[in-house]
Amino acid sequence: MKSHSALLPLFTLLALSGCASSRLAGTGTPAVPVAEAARVEPVLPLQPLSPQIFYGVIVSEIAAQRGGVGASAQTYLELAREARDPRLAQRAAEFAMLSGQIDAATQALTLWVELDPASDAAREQLFITLLRAGKLAQSRPLIESVLAARPERAPAVFVQLARLASRQPDKAAAYQLMRGLTARYPDLPEARFALLAVAAEAGDQATMQLEMDTLARLAPKWDLPVAWQVDRLRRDKPDAALALLKSELARRPEAGMEISLAYPRLLVSVKRFAEARDGFVELLQRYPAQPDVLYALGLLSFQLRELEAAVPYLERALKAGHPEADYLRLTLGQVNQELEREDEARRWYGEVGRGEHYLPAQVRLATLDAQGGNVVEVLARMSEMGSGLKEKTQVALFQSQIARQQGRLDLAELHLNRMLAAEPKTPELLYERALVLELQGKASEAERDLKAYLLEKPDDAQGLNALGYLLANRTTRYREALVLIERAHKADPDNAMILDSLGWVYFKLGRNAEAVRYLEQAYQVLPDPEVAAHLGEALWKAGRKDEARKLWAPMLERYPQHEVLQETVKRLAP
C-alpha cells in the first residue's frame, strides 16, 4: 500500500472570507446585506387587474418555470411600461438578471427607480447592474444618492463596491471612482477595504499598504481584508501570502480563530509540514479542544512519521466531535497498524461505518489477515466486497496490491485479468496490471497495457513516465523512451519519479553529466533505494566512486533486501 500521505487533505483559504458583508465584533454595528435593506413602502398606483395584465403575468410565470426566463423578462418590462407599476418593473428586473440580460435589467431597474423613487433596493440594484456593465459614470450618482439618503447602509454598500469595482475592465476609472466615493469615509473600515481592493487591481502598492495599516488600526478583528489579500496571493505567490498573513497576525493579537488557522493551513498547502505542525501546536494552546486543530495535528504527525504523537491528537479530535469521524477511525487504524499494534488497528478498522471509508477499512483488515499467510483465502473473500463498478475496481486494485506485498504476482495478475475481462478499458486496472507484468519480466505485455492506458489518458504524466521507464530499463529503445519521459517531465517537472526516469534514460544514452544532474534532483526529493542505485551508478561511471559508496552505505543498512540496490552494488563494488 502507498503511504498515508496520499490521504492528507491540503487545506484551502476559501472559507476565510465568510459573508462578504459581515463585520466581526469590535468594529461597529454589523452591516446589513443589500438584499435586506429597509425601505419605505411605495405609494402604489390604483391599478385595475385588466385581462391584459392578468394574462401577461400568468403566461410569464409559466414560461419562466419552463425555462423561458428571458422572454418573461421582456413581457414584464412591456407590462410595467404600460401599467406604470413598480412591482412589474421589479419582476422584470429579476427575470432579466436571472437570464443574464444586462441591458433589459438596466431598463427595468431604471423604470423601477422612476416609479418608486423612495426605493433604496431599486437604486442599489441599479448601480450594481450598471457596475456589472462597466458603466461607472452612470453608477456614481446613484451610489452617492443611496449613501446620502441612508448613511447606515454605507458599510454594506462599500463591501458590494469592493467586489464589483475591483472587477472593472477600466482599472484607472474604477480607481478614480472609488477614491471619490471613499474620501468622505476615512474611518469606515468597509470604505477603506473597498479602496484597498481597487488599489490592488490598479497596482498601487503604496495605497494598498496604507489601507492595510488603517484597517489594522480601525478593525483589528475584521478578518475579511486579510483573507481577501491572502487569497489574491496564495495561488501564484504563496510565499508572499505567508509573509503577509504572518505580519498581519502579529499586529492583530485578537484576530479570530479562522484567520489564525489560515497560517498553518497555508503552510500545509505548500507542503511545509513541520512548520505547519508547529503552528497548530501553538494554536492548540489557545483552542485546546478545537476539533480542526486536533485533526490537523493528528494528520500532520502521521505525515511526519511521528506516529506516537499522532494517536492522542486523532483520538481527541474524534472525542471533540470532528465531522470526519470515520476518516479519523480509518487513520487511527493505519497509525496503529504501522506501530504494529494489530489489535488496536483491527478495532479501529472495525468501527468504521458504512460510507466512503468502509471499503478501505475492510481492505486494511484483509491486509492484516493476508499477513497471516492465508492470502488465497483472503483474496477470494475480497472478491465479494464492493457494489457497483467503481467499488469493484477498487477491490481488484487492492487485491493486486495485497498479492504483490505477499510476493504472489500470479494472484495479482489473476484478479486483475478477471476485472479487465469485464472492463477492458479501465485505466487504473491497465496501469496496475502493467506494473505486475513488469515485475514478472513480461515487458512486452506490460508495454501493451501501458499503451492501452495512454489511449485512455494520452497526456497523463504518470503513464508517459511508466512507459518511458519500461523502455529505458527493459529494452534498448532509449530514444523512444526519452521522448516519452520528456513529455512527462514537461507536464510534471518536480515529480521525483519522473526526474529519476529522466536521469536514468540519459545514463543509458551515455549522457552522464545530465544523468547525474537529474538523479541528484530526484534523490533530494525522494531518497529511495532505487534512486540511490541509479545515482550511485552514474557517479561511479563519472569516476566519483567514493561518493557512490558513501551514498550506498546507509541505504544498504536500511534496505538490505532491495533487489535493484543489491544488484547494482554487487556488480560495481563487490
Side-chain angles (χ1 to χ4, degrees):
M1 295 285 180
K2 290 187 178 181
S3 73
H4 178 75
S5 61
L7 297 174
L8 184 66
L10 297 182
F11 300 92
T12 68
L13 295 176
L14 296 178
L16 288 180
S17 300
C19 178
S21 58
S22 66
R23 295 170 63 191
L24 302 187
T27 63
T29 305
V32 181
V34 169
E36 297 178 10
R39 49 156 294 172
V40 177
E41 285 298 319
V43 178
L44 298 173
L46 296 174
Q47 183 64 251
L49 187 60
S50 67
Q52 182 183 2
I53 293 176
F54 179 79
Y55 178 76
V57 168
I58 294 297
V59 169
S60 296
E61 293 294 332
I62 292 173
Q65 291 177 14
R66 295 178 178 177
V69 180
S72 298
Q74 294 297 330
T75 302
Y76 263 112
L77 184 54
E78 292 172 10
L79 291 173
R81 284 169 175 160
E82 292 180 15
R84 308 294 291 171
D85 191 317
R87 295 166 295 186
L88 297 174
Q90 179 181 357
R91 192 61 169 162
E94 291 169 353
F95 280 141
M97 288 186 286
L98 189 61
S99 60
Q101 300 180 69
I102 298 299
D103 287 342
T106 303
Q107 294 175 44
L109 289 164
T110 302
L111 182 59
W112 183 11
V113 170
E114 178 189 337
L115 298 174
D116 185 8
S119 172
D120 295 319
R123 291 177 180 277
E124 290 187 33
Q125 289 299 326
L126 179 54
F127 81 65
I128 288 171
T129 302
L130 290 169
L131 284 174
R132 285 177 176 166
K135 298 177 180 179
L136 300 177
Q138 291 174 252
S139 68
R140 181 165 184 167
L142 286 161
I143 299 168
E144 289 177 334
S145 69
V146 170
L147 291 172
R150 298 288 302 280
E152 74 277 9
R153 299 283 303 131
V157 168
F158 277 113
V159 170
Q160 281 279 15
L161 289 173
R163 180 174 60 87
L164 293 167
S166 63
R167 297 177 182 176
Q168 295 300 311
D170 189 342
K171 306 298 183 186
Y175 196 16
Q176 183 180 2
L177 170 67
M178 198 56 59
R179 278 189 173 280
L181 291 172
T182 59
R184 288 175 291 172
Y185 299 89
D187 296 323
L188 182 67
E190 289 83 356
R192 306 334 304 168
F193 172 55
L195 184 57
L196 166 68
V198 181
E201 293 300 316
D204 186 346
Q205 297 294 325
T207 297
M208 287 178 64
Q209 187 58 56
L210 177 63
E211 297 304 333
M212 286 296 290
D213 293 343
T214 302
L215 283 162
R217 174 176 56 82
L218 292 176
K221 295 182 180 180
W222 191 28
D223 290 354
L224 179 57
V226 179
W228 170 84
Q229 178 71 323
V230 170
D231 199 52
R232 281 186 69 248
L233 295 171
R234 68 184 179 89
R235 291 181 181 86
D236 300 323
K237 300 176 181 177
D239 290 338
L242 280 164
L244 171 76
L245 188 50
K246 185 176 183 180
S247 172
E248 290 299 323
L249 287 173
R251 64 178 178 177
R252 295 168 181 261
E254 296 184 52
M257 181 182 69
E258 281 300 320
I259 198 71
S260 300
L261 283 168
Y263 185 69
R265 284 174 172 171
L266 189 53
L267 287 168
V268 169
S269 73
V270 295
K271 300 183 180 180
R272 290 162 60 176
F273 298 129
E275 294 173 73
R277 183 267 322 279
D278 294 343
F280 280 115
V281 167
E282 186 176 335
L283 279 174
L284 192 62
Q285 296 174 13
R286 291 170 56 189
Y287 307 106
Q290 215 289 325
D292 287 337
V293 175
L294 293 164
Y295 178 81
L297 278 169
L299 294 179
L300 284 166
S301 297
F302 196 174
Q303 174 74 26
L304 294 166
R305 315 308 301 157
E306 298 168 355
L307 303 181
E308 292 287 359
V311 172
Y313 287 134
L314 294 168
E315 288 180 342
R316 287 170 62 188
L318 189 61
K319 187 176 180 180
H322 195 280
E324 292 289 340
D326 275 340
Y327 181 66
L328 284 166
R329 295 183 182 104
L330 175 65
T331 307
L332 278 162
Q334 291 176 273
V335 175
N336 280 285
Q337 186 176 351
E338 294 203 24
L339 287 168
E340 299 182 355
R341 299 169 182 167
E342 185 175 326
D343 290 343
E344 277 293 287
R346 287 182 179 277
R347 179 174 72 84
W348 285 115
Y349 290 143
E351 290 185 10
V352 175
R354 294 280 178 178
E356 64 176 310
H357 304 300
Y358 180 76
L359 181 59
Q362 292 301 305
V363 168
R364 289 279 179 174
L365 284 169
T367 303
L368 290 171
D369 291 340
Q371 291 172 357
N374 52 345
V375 63
V376 175
E377 178 185 334
V378 169
L379 295 179
R381 190 168 71 245
M382 287 179 67
S383 295
E384 304 302 318
M385 293 181 184
S387 59
L389 177 61
K390 184 177 179 180
E391 286 194 353
K392 288 293 186 182
T393 298
Q394 290 178 329
V395 169
L397 292 170
F398 284 131
Q399 285 174 310
S400 175
Q401 291 167 8
I402 291 172
R404 284 196 283 113
Q405 288 174 344
Q406 300 302 315
R408 293 298 305 272
L409 298 176
D410 58 324
L411 291 176
E413 184 179 353
L414 173 67
H415 287 281
L416 291 168
N417 286 344
R418 287 176 179 171
M419 194 63 197
L420 278 164
E423 297 294 332
K425 293 184 178 182
T426 306
E428 296 80 8
L429 295 170
L430 288 166
Y431 188 91
E432 176 68 17
R433 189 170 68 178
L435 173 61
V436 171
L437 291 168
E438 194 273 339
L439 289 171
Q440 295 178 90
K442 301 176 181 179
S444 60
E445 294 174 63
E447 180 182 346
R448 174 205 64 201
D449 277 358
L450 288 172
K451 286 181 175 178
Y453 174 88
L454 288 170
L455 285 175
E456 303 301 317
K457 303 177 75 172
D459 298 317
D460 181 70
Q462 182 185 29
L464 292 166
N465 180 63
L467 181 55
Y469 184 74
L470 175 72
L471 296 179
N473 214 37
R474 297 287 189 178
T475 76
T476 57
R477 293 151 58 191
Y478 303 138
R479 295 194 179 281
E480 186 180 344
L482 179 60
V483 171
L484 291 162
I485 296 168
E486 284 181 334
R487 284 178 60 194
H489 182 243
K490 185 177 181 180
D492 192 358
D494 298 321
N495 186 300
M497 301 293 288
I498 295 173
L499 290 168
D500 173 61
S501 298
L502 190 57
W504 191 236
V505 75
Y506 277 134
F507 176 79
K508 293 285 190 175
L509 286 165
R511 296 161 63 173
N512 207 55
E514 291 165 288
V516 170
R517 176 159 61 93
Y518 284 110
L519 288 168
E520 285 179 335
Q521 290 179 34
Y523 190 75
Q524 286 176 0
V525 180
L526 182 67
D528 174 89
E530 189 160 347
V531 180
H534 293 162
L535 176 56
E537 187 159 358
L539 291 171
W540 194 275
K541 186 175 181 180
R544 297 159 62 180
K545 296 182 179 181
D546 289 342
E547 291 180 60
R549 289 190 180 97
K550 187 177 179 180
L551 174 73
W552 287 331
M555 281 291 173
L556 288 168
E557 287 186 21
R558 189 173 177 185
Y559 302 99
Q561 305 300 321
H562 194 277
E563 293 182 8
V564 174
L565 180 62
Q566 289 290 342
E567 186 279 328
T568 302
V569 174
K570 288 178 181 178
R571 173 165 45 83
L572 297 176

